Amino acid sequence: MTKMRVKQLLDGFKKRELSPKESAKDLLKKVKEENPLYNDFITINENIVKDAEQSEERYHKNTPLPLDGLIISVKDNIIIKDMLTSCGSKMLSNFVPRSYESTVIEALRNNGVHFIGKTNMDEFACGSSTKTSFYGPTLNPINREYTPGGSSGGSACAVARGHSIISLGSDTGGSVRQPASFCGIVGFKPSYGILSRWGVVAYASSLDQIGIMANNVSDIAAILQYTYGEDDRDTTTSNVTLENIDNFLPIDVKNKRIALLKIDFNSLESDIRDEAKKIQEIIDSNAKKLQALGAIVEEIDIPLLKESSEIYTILSRAELASNLAKFDGTRFGHMTEKDVDIKSIYYTNRDEGFGDEIKKRILVGDYVLQGENNARIYQKALKIRGLIKNELDTILNRYDFILNPTSPILPFKLDKERESKIADMMLVYANLAGLPAISIPCGKIGEFSVGMHLTSKRFNDGILLGVSEFIHDNLN
């Protein structure tokens, strides 16, 4: 059932060929049996069958909602009322919001969607392997000795293993697209401002965006249709109407201009260059297939992108330090059991509540924001970010899409730290410029999938999805 497309599933419910209640029961059984093997869920919704009964009743009354009976999973930094929202951290391991939930969750619930549970993630979305999670790492659904990627690794694994048909993640610097590539599924980051971030625990507010993961592109469009738009509670959202979303269709690549951005092998360590070259060969082969289908593909270089990883590191750490300052255990979150005085309680709560990776990133963020470092480092990084955005805008005025490998490496073993540092090097530019981007599987090396990454103009989300649907259907 979880390998069906959303439209097929909903048609099955309408025709009474499938039952929302029985589907929920089967899914709950599968998730509970397999979660100990993959650790993709932090919280499993034991009430999912009861939730699905509401959809069953509406179908019997011939009054179904647009997405009635659809069951999805949700990354554990997106708030669902009455469900643990831990962000993969000890700091929030007791935080169960009782009075509110995120705007996107509200929109989906109002259209008949139910939630099987909250997926595992790197702590506060800081990482690219799920290894920083307080609850332990998620394992790759293809080979459990390897990482599924991160920080939305739990969501990617859930979709790939059939634990949910769709999963919501968050993407700050590739955290939806990289694990989608590692797990052989589709991962989409919308334009900044398309989906409300209200009710999402922030990592870096100017970079974060809720993303959608699925086995195909049309299912992503089905979710986006009912969730995008302006939200008074999030002033960064935009009042735009997306093309090709309400009546989603694949879009032919004929005459589409595609800029091919290649891996910079000189930036990679020697022991992974051979792997990166094999990945690039698959991308080049697919680029030739696109040309045969009528696309115009030209190789380009974007010199400023060589600075993007460093700029991303500076800005994301600075925003993280600011966003996590409120977590001190006094109003909610982890409270120490040690007998300490009032002066020490904030330090102790944070020291016990945060993992090592979070502490490192907070220290970097505080450093670049303090005193003269603010002008010397942080403000300069903001200026370079502006230059990167301008350069990308110029390129996307000449081309419809930018094409590159999602990741220059394949999934790495869980005991390897070094490779995770470069796994997102081809991704962060889309977040810095607020552009829509997608990873779609386009080939394999051994047992693992290789992801093709496409980026387009801001608010061109529906066109990007339509072309991606065409590519996914014609190249796989």
Side-chain angles (χ1 to χ4, degrees):
M1 185 202 75
T2 50
K3 295 300 181 182
M4 297 174 68
R5 291 186 179 235
V6 167
K7 186 178 185 303
Q8 292 174 305
L9 182 67
L10 298 180
D11 285 346
F13 291 153
K14 290 174 185 175
K15 295 174 182 176
R16 309 292 198 273
E17 296 170 352
L18 296 171
S19 159
K21 179 180 177 181
E22 292 305 314
S23 297
K25 191 180 297 183
D26 291 343
L27 181 61
L28 180 61
K29 181 175 182 290
K30 180 179 176 68
V31 169
K32 292 177 76 171
E33 285 176 350
E34 292 197 359
N35 191 54
L37 297 175
Y38 296 95
N39 198 30
D40 47 334
F41 284 86
I42 291 173
T43 301
I44 297 171
N45 180 12
E46 299 283 353
N47 295 317
I48 191 66
V49 177
K50 184 178 179 181
D51 294 344
E53 287 176 353
Q54 302 170 26
S55 294
E56 188 107 6
E57 186 176 343
R58 286 191 287 265
Y59 278 110
H60 284 311
K61 292 180 179 178
N62 292 316
T63 58
L65 298 167
L67 298 174
D68 231 334
L70 177 63
I71 298 174
I72 73 170
S73 58
V74 178
K75 188 176 180 180
D76 203 31
N77 60 346
I78 302 171
I79 290 176
I80 299 178
K81 184 181 176 184
D82 296 326
M83 202 176 292
L84 175 70
T85 300
S86 74
C87 295
S89 177
K90 182 179 179 180
M91 177 60 79
L92 294 180
S93 59
N94 61 359
F95 176 55
V96 180
R98 300 297 186 188
S99 60
Y100 70 103
E101 59 191 3
S102 75
T103 297
V104 167
I105 296 299
E106 282 181 356
L108 291 172
R109 193 188 295 280
N110 290 339
N111 283 284
V113 176
H114 307 296
F115 309 101
I116 183 63
K118 305 295 286 297
T119 54
N120 198 9
M121 58 182 286
D122 284 294
E123 185 178 11
F124 284 102
C126 293
S128 54
S129 65
T130 73
K131 285 173 62 176
T132 68
S133 172
F134 174 63
Y135 300 92
T138 296
L139 309 183
N140 189 288
I142 300 165
N143 185 326
R144 294 191 303 133
E145 292 184 4
Y146 290 77
T147 177
S151 61
S152 306
S155 290
C157 181
V159 172
R161 285 301 309 172
H163 297 164
S164 63
I165 192 168
I166 289 165
S167 192
L168 298 184
S170 66
D171 193 310
T172 306
S175 289
V176 160
R177 292 159 288 153
Q178 180 247 27
S181 177
F182 280 11
C183 295
I185 62 170
V186 181
F188 173 63
K189 182 200 85 69
S191 298
Y192 186 79
I194 286 295
L195 292 179
S196 173
R197 293 181 298 105
W198 194 86
V200 181
V201 181
Y203 169 6
S205 303
S206 74
L207 301 165
D208 294 342
Q209 183 65 82
I210 289 178
I212 308 168
M213 309 170 92
N215 285 301
N216 59 79
V217 183
S218 63
D219 286 358
I220 290 173
I223 292 295
L224 194 63
Q225 178 182 353
Y226 294 100
T227 52
Y228 88 89
E230 191 173 16
D231 180 10
D232 291 341
R233 295 175 294 188
D234 178 0
T235 58
T236 65
T237 53
S238 300
N239 182 20
V240 297
T241 300
L242 298 180
E243 294 182 61
N244 195 44
I245 290 296
D246 290 344
N247 297 292
F248 180 73
L249 292 169
I251 297 173
D252 200 320
V253 296
K254 188 175 182 180
N255 296 324
K256 298 296 182 187
R257 296 183 61 83
I258 299 175
L260 176 58
L261 178 64
K262 294 198 172 190
I263 296 170
D264 177 11
F265 298 112
N266 292 326
S267 67
L268 303 179
E269 295 186 24
S270 58
D271 59 336
I272 58 172
R273 280 184 197 154
D274 287 344
E275 184 174 284
K277 286 176 180 177
K278 290 177 182 177
I279 289 171
Q280 186 66 62
E281 286 171 4
I282 289 176
I283 299 301
D284 291 344
S285 174
N286 279 281
K288 289 177 181 177
K289 292 176 184 177
L290 294 178
Q291 284 180 309
L293 291 168
I296 302 163
V297 181
E298 296 176 355
E299 191 176 328
I300 66 162
D301 183 33
I302 309 176
L304 264 178
L305 287 195
K306 295 178 175 64
E307 316 298 331
S308 62
S309 292
E310 288 75 15
I311 300 306
Y312 169 80
T313 297
I314 292 167
L315 298 180
S316 64
R317 272 51 167 182
E319 294 186 32
L320 176 76
S322 297
N323 281 324
L324 296 194
K326 59 181 172 287
F327 296 115
D328 56 25
T330 55
R331 290 174 56 205
F332 55 85
H334 173 74
M335 172 65 79
T336 184
E337 295 181 358
K338 294 179 180 177
D339 184 16
V340 294
D341 58 32
I342 190 65
K343 292 182 180 179
S344 303
I345 195 166
Y346 299 106
Y347 169 84
T348 307
N349 288 345
R350 287 168 67 84
D351 181 50
E352 293 177 354
F354 290 138
D356 289 343
E357 183 64 26
I358 297 296
K359 293 173 187 175
K360 291 175 188 175
R361 295 191 184 204
I362 289 174
L363 286 172
V364 172
D366 286 339
Y367 176 78
V368 303
L369 287 173
Q370 71 178 5
E372 63 180 23
N373 293 338
N374 189 298
R376 186 172 61 88
I377 302 174
Y378 179 69
Q379 296 299 328
K380 283 185 179 179
L382 285 175
K383 291 178 182 178
I384 297 173
R385 178 184 186 175
L387 294 175
I388 292 171
K389 181 183 182 302
N390 291 340
E391 186 166 1
L392 289 166
D393 287 343
T394 298
I395 290 168
L396 288 169
N397 283 329
R398 301 201 324 261
Y399 297 94
D400 298 299
F401 308 100
I402 298 172
L403 167 64
N404 57 267
T406 304
S407 171
I409 59 172
L410 296 172
F412 43 90
K413 287 198 171 184
L414 288 163
D415 60 354
K416 289 191 176 180
E417 279 289 339
R418 176 183 53 79
E419 291 180 348
S420 66
K421 304 300 182 184
I422 62 166
D424 61 357
M425 65 180 293
M426 305 296 284
L427 302 172
V428 297
Y429 71 85
N431 299 81
L432 291 170
L435 304 175
I438 190 168
S439 175
I440 53 180
C442 67
K444 283 189 173 183
I445 297 176
E447 62 187 331
F448 291 116
S449 175
V450 171
M452 171 193 291
H453 187 265
L454 285 169
T455 309
S456 191
K457 291 180 182 178
R458 191 176 180 196
F459 303 140
N460 207 35
D461 301 58
I463 304 302
L464 174 62
L465 289 174
V467 167
S468 298
E469 171 84 336
F470 179 89
I471 293 173
H472 191 241
D473 290 347
N474 283 274
L475 297 188
N476 289 284

